[in-house]
Amino acid sequence: MEVSEDKKKLIFSILRMMNDDCDSCSSEVKESLEVAMQCMGEVYGVDVADEAQRAACSVPLSLQDIFNKAASPKAELTEEQMAQAQVLKEQGNDLLRQGEYEKAIDLYTQALCIDQRNAVYYSNRAAARMKLHQYQAVVEDCQAAVNIDPSYSKAHFRLGNAYNALGRREEALPCFRRALDLDPQNATYVETLDTCLGEQASSGNGGGAAGPMAGGMPDMGNFDLAGIMNNPQFMSMATSMMNSPGFANMAASVMSGGNAGGGGGGFMQRAEQFAQQMHESNPELVEQMRRQMPGGPGGPGGAGGEGGAPPQ
């Protein structure tokens, strides 16, 4: 499960509240709280006793203070506050264009701390997070944006991108359709919806979801080979696969002209099995590789691309 940094901060605040409650409860309740804390911490990978996580996840207000502030009637922002938030947003936009995605996220978050009712701030932060492949966090930001402004087409489109990247095409399609309904002249929305519908049709014709090698080998011209080779997850998976019997059998088939193991279809059968094994062992990494290839979702010419749309 992918856990965003914001969610880790939330879980840390919950665990910190439970830990504080342990000091003022009976031994029976304390034991139950400790068990709950251990289970929650293991699921989300958060430990309140870890010094590094304390530094990264601590927030100035307690969870109760945050709740009280959110539940209280909201005062109108002053012109000065709105102007300050806009400056932070514009600075974030500049950093986003420069590829400084983490710094852009930080500035958009600062803008949201001032004005939590601005859909653009959520959507722009989602754009930066999309660049870092933080897809679940993108979903959360885009959902916040469309809840604030249901007519915000770009937020619907980015939400579709995130669902598509997570392999949740059935949820992506309504988002792409809604974006196009709101902005029917947007060529990127038209192309993305058509591509996604085509991928769905291809998957249906194949009797299921498209596999990692569906559609044959793509044009590798824009494939980020250096980025993949520097990815420790990929190198670990590649080493494991090359040492597997399936890979050895496939290599033997190539060396023997495709006839090892019986028949000319032996190589293709083993190649398909090998690709499926890669997909099952690490679907997120395979999806990331597929997205970097032209024609893949989010890649040049594929569904889910931003279409060069600038931040707002």
Side-chain angles (χ1 to χ4, degrees), residues 90-162:
E90 293 299 333
Q91 291 174 345
N93 289 353
D94 291 339
L95 288 169
L96 180 59
R97 294 186 189 99
Q98 295 165 21
E100 298 283 352
Y101 305 127
E102 291 282 5
K103 293 179 181 178
I105 289 169
D106 182 58
L107 286 171
Y108 292 139
T109 302
Q110 289 182 48
L112 282 164
C113 286
I114 298 171
D115 184 1
Q116 300 171 5
R117 293 167 289 183
N118 193 307
V120 172
Y121 300 168
Y122 282 106
S123 182
N124 285 11
R125 188 169 70 174
R129 285 174 161 170
M130 193 74 182
K131 296 292 187 180
L132 296 174
H133 309 294
Q134 297 173 356
Y135 303 129
Q136 187 55 47
V138 175
V139 168
E140 293 166 10
D141 275 350
C142 290
Q143 286 175 336
V146 298
N147 285 338
I148 294 168
D149 183 1
S151 64
Y152 190 9
S153 63
K154 191 177 289 186
H156 286 284
F157 180 68
R158 286 174 176 158
L159 181 57
N161 288 348

Side-chain angles (χ1 to χ4, degrees), residues 279-298:
H279 189 263
E280 291 173 356
S281 65
N282 199 326
E284 291 184 3
L285 182 58
V286 171
E287 178 65 20
Q288 181 181 337
M289 292 169 61
R290 189 165 68 91
R291 287 180 58 78
Q292 293 189 41
M293 297 179 182

Side-chain angles (χ1 to χ4, degrees), residues 169-170 196-211 214 290:
R169 188 180 295 139
E170 293 302 319
C196 201
L197 288 169
E199 289 174 352
Q200 184 185 49
S202 298
S203 297
N205 292 337
R290 189 165 68 91

Side-chain angles (χ1 to χ4, degrees), residues 153 156-157 174-191 193-194:
S153 63
H156 286 284
F157 180 68
C175 299
F176 292 143
R177 287 193 177 102
R178 181 59 179 153
L180 187 58
D181 287 344
L182 293 166
D183 187 2
Q185 303 304 316
N186 191 305
T188 299
Y189 296 177
V190 173
E191 181 183 356
L193 179 58
D194 287 346

